[in-house]
Amino acid sequence: MTRRFLFLLASSRTDGNTELLARRAAEQLPEDVEQRWIDLAEHPLPDFEDLRHDSDHVRPVDGATGLLFDATIAATDIVIASPLYWYSLSGQAKRYLDYWSGWLRTPGVDFKATMTGRTLWGVTALAHEEFEVADPLVGTLNNSAAYMGMRFGGVLLGNGSKPGDVLRDTEALTRAKTFFAQEAPLARFPYEEVPATP
């Protein structure tokens, strides 16, 4: 099966540190892996309206919603490239994930079953050397993947504030070389973790 990576750029800045780091990691993917890049700032989603309990659900076909729905269900791997904004995902990235709630009830597509077994990845740049401050972002992605029965490849973290800073983070660039080559385990909620045997 051909792997199809969907890179979702979720920054308010073009060519920002997160995008630079994501592109460095993507350069290492084999040539037979398909890559599709979508900038969420160029394809903004409307405000999410929670219609989960309404009966009138339709498959999105127009505009950014249709584009992102089709791209999502076509991908084997989804990479959310979001800078760390207030210690979590950017507004664009969070809104995209909010839409998953609506897509769960799209007629003719079992969205959850479609996503099960696929892989969610994250890439983020942050202006902290203490990567623990990104734990809320990592948790959001991990728990979203766990709910959907997806694999979670983790989050590639890099340090950068001013444009281009991350290209001086040699440790992040080293991690980028093998990030997508690692085996992504099935995502689990934290409370499902089995404690280590003493």
Side-chain angles (χ1 to χ4, degrees):
M1 179 179 180
T2 300
R3 292 184 73 183
R4 296 179 297 275
F5 271 70
L6 172 62
F7 289 85
L8 296 172
L9 302 176
S11 175
S12 298
R13 176 189 295 165
T14 303
D15 295 326
N17 287 300
T18 297
E19 179 179 347
L20 292 174
L21 187 58
R23 291 193 182 278
R24 283 297 180 96
E27 289 173 0
Q28 311 303 317
L29 288 169
E31 290 185 5
D32 62 344
V33 172
E34 297 178 10
Q35 295 184 34
R36 184 173 186 183
W37 294 74
I38 297 178
D39 189 334
L40 296 179
E42 295 179 1
H43 302 280
L45 288 164
D47 288 337
F48 175 68
E49 186 177 1
D50 190 350
L51 300 174
R52 284 177 294 172
H53 303 292
D54 292 1
S55 59
D56 188 19
H57 293 277
V58 296
R59 179 180 179 133
V61 294
D62 297 323
T65 308
L67 170 73
L68 288 165
F69 177 79
D70 289 340
T72 298
I73 62 174
T76 60
D77 296 76
I78 298 171
V79 184
I80 295 183
S82 168
L84 188 72
Y85 287 157
W86 286 106
Y87 309 104
S88 191
L89 294 166
S90 69
Q92 296 100 315
K94 178 60 169 61
R95 181 174 294 184
Y96 165 74
L97 288 178
D98 286 346
Y99 268 78
W100 284 19
S101 297
W103 295 345
L104 287 168
R105 289 159 180 80
T106 300
V109 178
D110 190 334
F111 185 68
K112 189 171 184 179
T114 298
M115 302 306 289
T116 295
R118 301 188 184 192
T119 306
L120 184 65
W121 309 81
V123 180
T124 191
L126 56 155
H128 288 267
E129 294 184 1
E130 300 80 17
F131 286 162
E132 292 82 1
V133 300
D135 286 351
L137 180 149
V138 176
T140 294
L141 295 180
N142 174 78
N143 293 345
S144 299
Y147 178 78
M148 300 297 288
M150 299 175 72
R151 297 182 176 278
F152 182 52
V155 178
L156 175 61
L157 298 166
N159 183 266
S161 179
K162 293 183 295 185
D165 273 357
V166 77
L167 299 180
R168 291 187 286 274
D169 185 346
T170 55
E171 292 184 5
L173 297 180
T174 298
R175 290 191 296 270
K177 291 181 179 179
T178 59
F179 181 62
F180 292 127
Q182 66 183 331
E183 184 68 26
L186 187 67
R188 297 189 180 279
F189 291 107
Y191 57 78
E192 294 178 324
E193 292 180 355
V194 179
T197 303

